[in-house]
Amino acid sequence: MHLVTHGGDSGTPVLALHGWPVDHRLMSGCLEPIFTRRTGYRRLYPDLPGMGRTPAGDAASSDDLLAAVLALVGKELGTTPFLLVGESYGGYLSRAVVRALPDQVLGLALICPVGQTLDRAARVRPPHVVLRATPGLLDDTDLDAAAAAEYAEFVVVQTPQTLRRFRAEVVPALQAADMAAIERIERRWHLSEGPEDTVPFERPTLFLCGRQDSAVGYVDQFALLPHYPRATFAVLDVAGHNLQFEQPALFETLMEDWLDRCAAEPPR
């Protein structure tokens, strides 16, 4: 797997798993501003198979992607405890990593995570709305038609600032994705073992959801809370599936709180 790291070889590892079908830039774009203010963390940003610069190989299911992530953990971290951050589909995989390595994960942060089902038609989600808009924003843009449609369909705060972040953190990944592999994996998208089919995870957890997230919603995620008794659950208004750059100040504040909570826990 293609892997980008920051923070050297020491400090508490932070593994960040991106969503579907983007790449590590979505995670480094929102997390690195936080870690420039905090020392003592080693950040690991992989591209999942079939996305970014990681070839799909023979990956044909979410089980295969989970196996690739667990192999990466074994290679890069061994048995070292680590923090885990997952966005959207990456949140689904992150919950499965917790199930597989419950004694190694120090804390879990989920950004716009998929809830109990990956089936888009079965998700409880609000209709798309635009709550903040700069007139004529997309009239003179270098985005291709597909990227412009993606931005218009999912972004709730449509301003030059969010367009800049979307262009830098989302568009290149969408263009790099192996869509044949994406379609193949989606046919076996559900993990064979549910992430919550085990004992509760009793370490600091954060759910960050967008009140206007028309991709995954926020209702299904609330149902997961009994499994995460140490979770903060936040639903941000004026935020959709890209809340990390639609509400960056709130995003960073809540992530900082999660890091503080994790740091205050007894060491493992």
Side-chain angles (χ1 to χ4, degrees):
M1 292 174 71
H2 176 68
L3 178 67
V4 174
T5 63
H6 295 287
D9 296 326
S10 61
T12 302
V14 182
L15 176 63
L17 302 181
H18 62 78
W20 191 269
V22 287
D23 68 15
H24 74 277
R25 283 169 282 204
L26 192 73
M27 305 306 289
S28 59
C30 66
L31 295 179
E32 282 306 296
I34 297 171
F35 288 113
T36 58
R37 303 190 295 267
R38 303 180 72 108
T39 60
Y41 295 91
R42 175 191 175 204
R43 289 88 71 193
L44 298 90
Y45 300 106
D47 288 342
L48 295 173
M51 290 163 264
R53 293 176 58 186
T54 299
D58 59 359
S61 68
S62 284
D63 285 341
D64 292 338
L65 268 59
L66 175 60
V69 171
L70 293 176
L72 176 74
V73 170
K75 176 184 176 183
E76 296 291 334
L77 303 179
T79 59
T80 301
F82 63 96
L83 297 170
L84 185 57
V85 184
E87 186 270 341
S88 192
Y89 173 81
Y92 181 60
L93 287 185
S94 294
R95 287 155 43 207
V97 171
V98 169
R99 187 188 195 282
L101 304 171
D103 297 327
Q104 196 172 349
V105 179
L106 297 170
L108 174 67
L110 302 170
I111 306 164
C112 298
V114 175
Q116 291 181 307
T117 179
L118 270 72
D119 294 333
R120 293 182 177 91
R123 299 172 186 171
V124 179
R125 48 189 178 147
H128 175 60
V129 295
V130 178
L131 296 181
R132 303 284 188 273
T134 299
L137 181 66
L138 295 178
D139 291 348
D140 184 22
T141 177
D142 59 357
L143 294 181
D144 63 29
E150 182 85 8
Y151 180 86
E153 182 178 357
F154 289 108
V155 178
V156 170
V157 179
Q158 298 188 5
T159 62
Q161 292 77 20
T162 64
L163 183 58
R164 175 182 58 80
R165 294 280 299 269
F166 183 84
R167 182 184 284 112
E169 299 167 23
V170 178
V171 173
L174 294 176
Q175 295 171 342
D178 180 344
M179 296 312 298
I182 296 301
E183 293 174 6
R184 179 176 73 240
I185 295 166
E186 283 189 353
R187 288 194 286 270
R188 298 173 60 194
W189 220 10
H190 282 87
L191 292 161
S192 58
E193 294 182 321
E196 284 73 41
D197 293 343
T198 183
V199 297
F201 178 64
E202 298 185 351
R203 301 288 292 190
T205 303
L206 174 63
F207 284 80
L208 283 176
C209 301
R211 184 65 175 81
Q212 290 81 29
D213 188 337
S214 59
V216 301
Y218 62 90
V219 174
D220 295 337
Q221 295 82 342
F222 189 78
L224 300 174
L225 281 182
H227 191 78
Y228 302 94
R230 295 287 309 282
T232 290
F233 187 90
V235 182
L236 307 187
D237 187 31
V238 195
H241 200 55
N242 297 284
L243 70 77
Q244 70 277 9
F245 57 74
E246 293 174 325
Q247 290 285 358
L250 281 172
F251 169 77
E252 293 188 13
T253 295
L254 289 163
M255 288 294 297
E256 293 262 18
D257 173 75
W258 172 70
L259 289 169
D260 290 342
R261 289 191 288 128
C262 292
E265 290 293 296
R268 283 187 165 173

